[in-house]
């Protein structure tokens, strides 16, 4: 029977599990996050009838189901906090500056990537704002959205959201694009159809091939979980994937300082855009 009790992780088990998570998703856990691992994984261990992390680590490493278990593990340990129109100034900058620049340079096929999109609020916000600005009529715009976590991608593809996702969304936008569905809100199918979701690890070298050539990348609030070598690999992937002129938007607390010199930083007042050089 599954109980809510917490299984304690020993120091050496924590080091080994942290290493496994790092190798598979690049996410680094500080020692102070031991409780988080215990809290998030104890239920899973009990479902598998394990009473120690040692048994779980063995299962992750050697069981025939280790690939499936890795997906379950990563779904448990990622932080998926997000909401509609988060750090909106960058999205407005893309609409008012980055996309007009692409249009002025003659581009009529524009590709945008929301890398680490969580449950879809970020790429859907981009789609709503593009629609508000009438930009879908001016170019063929494709929005790709990826995340390592398959559970949040399922939520994204259902397009049903609770009130918590609407912090700071103007009521006229919410009323225009969402229909009330019990205690939740269902996104308009026309906006849902503008975004193509797929699962992907930002550290997977095959990602460049999977996403193809891009014009704009949003990668916000994920690099904070990575160490410097992992950040460098991801930024290198973005540099290879972006065409010219290529725009990269990071989260407010993220920077390319000491990570890459292959982008020019521009402060536009409401935030920062990194331009490929
Ligand atoms: C805090 S959310 C940010 C969501 C959105 N970009 C925003 O700013 O609101 C971070 C997301 O990064 C994803 N993530 C973590 N490691 C990843 C990796 N190695 N590859 C792809 N996505 C990853 C998590 O699953 C999570 O959904």
């Amino acid at each position: 029977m599954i109980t809510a009790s917490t299984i304690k992780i020993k120091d050496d088990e924590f080091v080994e599990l942290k290493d496994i998570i790092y190798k598979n998703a690049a996410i680094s856990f500080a020692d102070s996050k031991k409780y988080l691992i215990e809290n998030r994984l104890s239920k899973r261990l009990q479902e598998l009838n394990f009473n120690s992390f040692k048994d779980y680590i063995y299962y992750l490493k050697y069981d025939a189901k280790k690939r499936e278990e890795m997906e379950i593990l990563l779904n448990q340990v990622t932080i998926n906090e997000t909401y509609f129109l988060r750090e909106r100034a960058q999205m407005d900058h893309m609409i008012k500056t980055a996309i007009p620049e692409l249009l002025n340079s003659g581009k009529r096929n524009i590709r945008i990537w929301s890398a680490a999109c969580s449950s879809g609020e970020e790429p859907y916000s981009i789609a709503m704002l593009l629609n508000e600005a009438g930009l879908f009529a001016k170019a063929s715009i494709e929005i790709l959205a990826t995340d390592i976590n398959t559970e949040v991608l399922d939520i994204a593809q259902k397009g049903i959201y609770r009130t918590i996702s609407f912090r700071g969304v103007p009521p006229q936008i919410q009323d225009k694009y969402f229909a009330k569905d019990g205690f939740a809100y269902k996104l308009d199918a026309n906006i849902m159809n503008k975004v193509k979701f797929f699962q992907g690890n930002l550290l997977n070298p095959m990602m460049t091939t999977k996403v193809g050539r891009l014009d704009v990348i949003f990668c916000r609030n994920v690099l904070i979980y990575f160490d410097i070598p992992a950040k460098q690999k991801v930024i290198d992937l973005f540099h290879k994937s972006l065409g010219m002129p290529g725009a990269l938007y990071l989260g407010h607390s993220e920077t390319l300082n000491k990570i890459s010199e292959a982008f020019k930083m521009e402060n536009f007042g409401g935030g920062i855009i990194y331009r490929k050089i």
Side-chain angles (χ1 to χ4, degrees):
M1 192 182 114
I2 296 166
T3 67
S5 63
T6 305
I7 299 175
K8 293 284 167 204
I9 187 165
K10 294 191 179 127
D11 287 346
D12 60 330
E13 294 164 347
F14 182 58
V15 169
E16 196 169 358
L17 193 55
K18 258 183 8 168
D19 192 48
I20 292 174
I21 295 170
Y22 179 77
K23 287 203 177 103
N24 284 278
I27 303 169
S28 309
F29 282 97
D31 290 346
S32 57
K33 291 287 189 281
K34 222 167 116 165
Y35 76 93
L36 191 142
I37 294 286
E38 287 172 347
N39 287 346
R40 289 195 171 194
L41 292 175
S42 285
K43 184 163 170 265
R44 180 64 190 152
L45 265 64
Q46 286 161 27
E47 280 167 1
L48 293 167
N49 283 323
F50 295 144
N51 48 27
S52 78
F53 275 89
K54 184 168 180 262
D55 293 344
Y56 184 61
I57 291 168
Y58 189 88
Y59 182 77
L60 266 176
K61 283 165 83 172
Y62 304 113
D63 197 89
K65 290 194 179 143
K66 64 183 184 181
R67 279 177 73 94
E68 290 93 320
E69 190 56 33
M70 184 56 62
E71 182 178 316
I72 295 170
L73 168 68
L74 295 181
N75 285 352
Q76 297 292 321
V77 299
T78 55
I79 309 282
N80 309 111
E81 159 77 3
T82 187
Y83 47 94
F84 288 107
L85 300 181
R86 182 179 196 180
E87 295 165 25
R88 177 176 175 167
Q90 292 178 320
M91 295 182 183
D92 288 336
H93 182 270
M94 176 192 72
I95 301 281
K96 291 190 185 124
T97 308
I99 298 213
E101 277 169 11
L102 289 162
L103 293 174
N104 290 339
S105 73
K107 272 214 105 173
R108 289 298 174 267
N109 290 304
I110 295 174
R111 303 187 73 239
I112 303 168
W113 180 20
S114 165
C117 64
S118 188
S119 35
E121 286 88 333
E122 181 176 273
Y124 286 145
S125 299
I126 293 170
M128 287 187 284
L129 294 180
L130 287 167
N131 194 56
E132 286 294 294
L135 287 169
F136 285 119
K138 295 195 177 152
S140 152
I141 305 182
E142 202 182 337
I143 307 170
L144 307 179
T146 64
D147 201 282
I148 201 169
N149 182 319
T150 51
E151 276 175 13
V152 290
L153 289 172
D154 284 347
I155 298 174
Q157 280 159 305
K158 289 194 178 93
I160 298 172
Y161 294 94
R162 295 191 177 266
T163 319
I164 188 91
S165 290
F166 294 92
R167 286 166 258 178
V169 175
Q172 65 273 25
I173 295 273
Q174 189 169 344
D175 294 347
K176 181 169 173 184
Y177 292 104
F178 293 86
K180 199 151 185 356
D181 181 1
F183 287 110
Y185 298 85
K186 172 93 177 109
L187 179 58
D188 187 291
N190 289 326
I191 295 297
M192 289 186 65
N193 291 337
K194 302 282 185 207
V195 184
K196 196 170 130 201
F197 290 96
F198 59 95
Q199 199 261 356
N201 182 349
L202 288 171
L203 271 298
N204 180 348
M206 292 306 290
M207 208 57 177
T208 339
T209 324
K210 274 174 126 180
V211 292
R213 204 29 127 205
L214 293 146
D215 301 294
V216 180
I217 299 177
F218 280 80
C219 181
R220 305 186 309 167
N221 307 303
V222 60
L223 294 182
I224 33 169
Y225 303 108
F226 296 170
D227 65 4
I228 289 182
K231 284 181 193 172
Q232 282 167 335
K233 278 194 198 139
V234 174
I235 297 302
D236 189 45
L237 159 78
F238 293 162
H239 195 262
K240 286 201 183 91
S241 306
L242 279 170
M244 289 295 272
L248 169 65
Y249 297 97
L250 301 178
H252 278 346
S253 55
E254 295 161 332
T255 166
L256 291 192
N257 188 21
K258 301 201 175 95
I259 306 293
S260 169
E261 294 188 349
F263 289 85
K264 184 162 79 68
M265 183 181 119
E266 197 179 297
N267 192 330
F268 58 84
I272 285 171
I273 176 176
Y274 288 95
R275 292 181 184 277
K276 176 171 169 161
I277 46 178

